[in-house]
Amino acid sequence: MELMCLVGTVLSFGAMVMEPLRDSLVFLLLWIFYLSLYQVGQVFLYFQWDSLLLETGFLTFLVAPFHLLKWRSISRPHDGVTFWLVRWLLFRLMFASGVVKLTSRCPTWWGLTALTYHYETQCIPTPTAWFAHQLPVWFQKISVVITYIVEIGVPFLFFSPIRHLRLFAFYTQVLLQVLIIITGNYNFFNLLTIALCISLLDDEHVNFWLRRSKKKSSGSWNRTLLSFLTVLLELAVYALLIYWSVHYFGLNINWEKQLIESKPSFTYHEFIQWLKIVTLPTVWIGAASLAWEILFSMYRSACIRGILQKFWATLQWAVFSTAAVGMFTISLVPYTYIEFETNGNLWPAVHNMHNAVDKYQLVNSYGLFRRMTGVGGRPEVVVEASYDQKSWTEIEFMYKPGNLSNMSPVVAPHQPRLDWQMWFAALDHHTQSPWFTSFIYRLLQGKKEVINLVQVDESRYPFHAKPPVYIRAQLFKYWFTEVNENGELPQHWWRRQHVKEFYPTVTLGDPHLETLLSQFGLKDKGFLLRSTDAPLPFTLTFLRDCLQPYAAPSVLFSLFIAGVVICLLKALKDRTPVNAAGKQKGTRTRRADSGEPRPGSLGEKNGQTKKEEKPVNVAESLELKAKPVPEAAGDGPRIRKKKADKN
């Protein structure tokens, strides 16, 4: 497992800084590595973003070029077909995430008060989440309404033929993800979603970012008329979004209280009925959009010159179009989970196809933040240890809330899996989280690998010298503190209240602990000892020892910053030869126009050295520097004649 993680890290970093490694085979290997880890990671990797990464990784295998033996990627006629699958994945992700908030019947989502609890109850808040929690309730409600618009209404614009509507959808989605990044540590999920949003862009807009946009020539009257009609259609779409938002969420400005009031003006059954009407048409919209991409790619393949080149392009188009249709077909099963009647009306063959490949995580269902937990207070498990059962010491984790005065850290895009599972364990009885018993058992044993998941810095772990004898866990409820009446910030970030005992006091050899270990199959088993003197185990041990003193976010950010620096240096290096060539070319032109012999020219061969050259006229030199010489043929002699007359 360590070797797979290490090879995957090296390949990913290499693909970031080297274009030849951005190859379909490399991404296929990365997908196989992550799928292998996913299969054995159990609850620690059973998150929706892990499924999203696997589905995106397989699509990357289809989208990326096969140029492992080449040094430059070239566009292919079928690129639009495979890239469309990324847009379809983005639509399924965002639309389902918005719909499930209402189909879950969660009272906070229906009451538009979800964000008044979200910031303090999420797994690992950021420091900004504390300030976001202090915002007024009416603003939090408006934020929920905007979330519904962005996740339910805007995704329909992903397939719009009008590019400005797609660009509008792109920026709204990216803005939502950036706000989530600022207020919560959701690892790589938000960055991955932003990467999927790139499928909404076109080359023209990317070139605009890179300052490579070309000036558009003035079009004919019919093109101007088409542009005018397009603008009117865009304005109509924006007006409809605003009207539906105001109408269905009862937006009203209360001038007396200086706030915006909002309340859903539709019922749960009305929403379910709307969902039944909309789900099947979205499938047909997706099918029509994919068909257009396939036909356009076929046309591009037919326009290629050369019989062999045309045959090869058509063959690739046929293969990847078939793959795209297959991916779209099996994705309909998890997509229609949002509306079971539509899911049941799918052809049995579609369900059979999906069941055949379900274990490979090629397509998945999504629905983030379905229900808001911790409405009555954030449940948090606090682990305590002791040597004598009289004085108990809290074991603080690196990332999850514990100490009331500790500020929440910024750890994204890293996900501390143990800290996340501690949040889920607090939501139910400890027997529903068998791994927690194993965690307590390893702390009693003093396992260094497990202790490093709690604290990398041994000085911050109170039992680093000697393992504790007794361990227990208490359940608390946490809340964010409020701003003081005088407007000053409080001394603590959190306040808490004890609820009950979460895990009883246990020690090594305790009958209760032994029973739980046997019940969950967590008893120590004999392991096959392998020699650590071989090159591979020795290298892995050496790297582990080198990286152990550093926290995972520090290692991740270091790799990312190093990759960015390498890419910037490569970009500067690629630009330097072009500028140098331009200067050299300009120098040769000026010498040709002024009649001076170039180095190595016929003048030097005839014995004219630098010392024998005539002194340069100062006025002529200044005039040459002040007035650039045209490079057009025939301009040089006339200009030199005028300059000679002036001299």
Side-chain angles (χ1 to χ4, degrees), residues 33-274:
F33 284 165
Y34 205 82
L35 180 63
S36 302
L37 296 174
Y38 177 86
Q39 298 292 348
V40 299
Q42 302 177 31
V43 294
F44 288 90
L45 265 77
Y46 285 175
F47 293 96
Q48 291 194 53
W49 34 80
D50 293 308
S51 301
L52 179 64
L53 182 60
L54 285 171
E55 185 171 350
T56 306
F58 187 79
L59 293 184
T60 309
F61 161 66
L62 298 177
V63 172
F66 179 74
H67 63 179
L68 195 60
L69 302 179
K70 301 178 182 178
W71 288 91
R72 288 192 176 277
S73 60
I74 56 176
S75 61
R76 303 164 299 179
H78 64 269
D79 282 342
V81 177
T82 53
F83 206 55
W84 180 90
L85 293 173
V86 181
R87 188 183 304 178
W88 174 245
L89 171 59
L90 176 65
F91 173 80
R92 291 191 289 116
L93 170 67
M94 301 310 300
F95 185 70
S97 297
V99 165
V100 297
K101 292 177 175 60
L102 295 174
T103 57
S104 66
R105 293 191 177 186
C106 179
T108 61
W109 284 115
W110 276 94
L112 306 181
T113 59
L115 292 184
T116 60
Y117 306 101
H118 164 72
Y119 297 114
E120 69 178 0
T121 60
Q122 56 185 323
C123 289
I124 304 179
T126 62
T128 316
W130 186 91
F131 296 95
H133 182 73
Q134 313 302 323
L135 295 172
V137 176
W138 69 267
F139 186 84
Q140 307 282 24
K141 289 186 175 182
I142 293 299
S143 301
V144 174
V145 173
I146 295 175
T147 302
Y148 284 141
I149 297 171
V150 173
E151 292 185 346
I152 299 179
V154 174
F156 287 96
L157 304 180
F158 293 174
F159 306 104
S160 171
I162 303 176
R163 65 183 300 269
H164 285 97
L165 292 178
R166 296 196 304 271
L167 295 179
F168 169 76
F170 168 80
Y171 283 107
T172 54
Q173 299 298 327
V174 171
L175 178 61
L176 176 63
Q177 300 306 319
V178 170
L179 292 176
I180 297 176
I181 291 174
I182 294 174
T183 57
N185 287 289
Y186 290 97
N187 52 75
F188 57 83
F189 161 66
N190 306 110
L191 296 176
L192 180 57
T193 305
I194 293 176
L196 296 177
C197 290
I198 297 178
S199 61
L200 302 175
L201 302 178
D202 51 20
D203 293 343
E204 181 181 347
H205 199 70
V206 174
N207 289 331
F208 170 77
W209 283 353
L210 301 176
R211 303 299 180 186
R212 297 176 182 173
S213 56
K214 299 179 181 179
K215 293 183 179 180
K216 295 183 179 180
S217 57
S218 57
S220 57
W221 67 270
N222 53 356
R223 178 173 297 181
T224 305
L225 179 61
L226 180 61
S227 300
F228 177 73
L229 294 176
T230 302
V231 172
L232 290 180
L233 186 58
E234 293 175 19
L235 295 177
V237 171
Y238 299 145
L240 281 177
L241 285 176
I242 296 174
Y243 170 76
W244 286 335
S245 303
V246 173
H247 177 70
Y248 288 108
F249 292 99
L251 298 181
N252 182 34
I253 301 177
N254 190 327
W255 299 104
E256 182 179 353
K257 297 181 180 180
Q258 295 183 352
L259 52 83
I260 302 177
E261 298 175 344
S262 56
K263 182 181 180 181
S265 59
F266 55 93
T267 64
Y268 170 78
H269 297 287
E270 290 175 343
F271 179 76
I272 293 298
Q273 189 63 32
W274 174 84

Side-chain angles (χ1 to χ4, degrees), residues 77-78 81 292-304 310 313-314 317 321:
H78 64 269
V81 177
W292 167 257
E293 292 292 345
I294 292 176
L295 292 176
F296 184 71
S297 299
M298 181 179 66
Y299 170 76
R300 291 183 58 190
S301 301
C303 292
I304 294 179
K310 184 176 298 186
T314 304
W317 166 82
S321 296

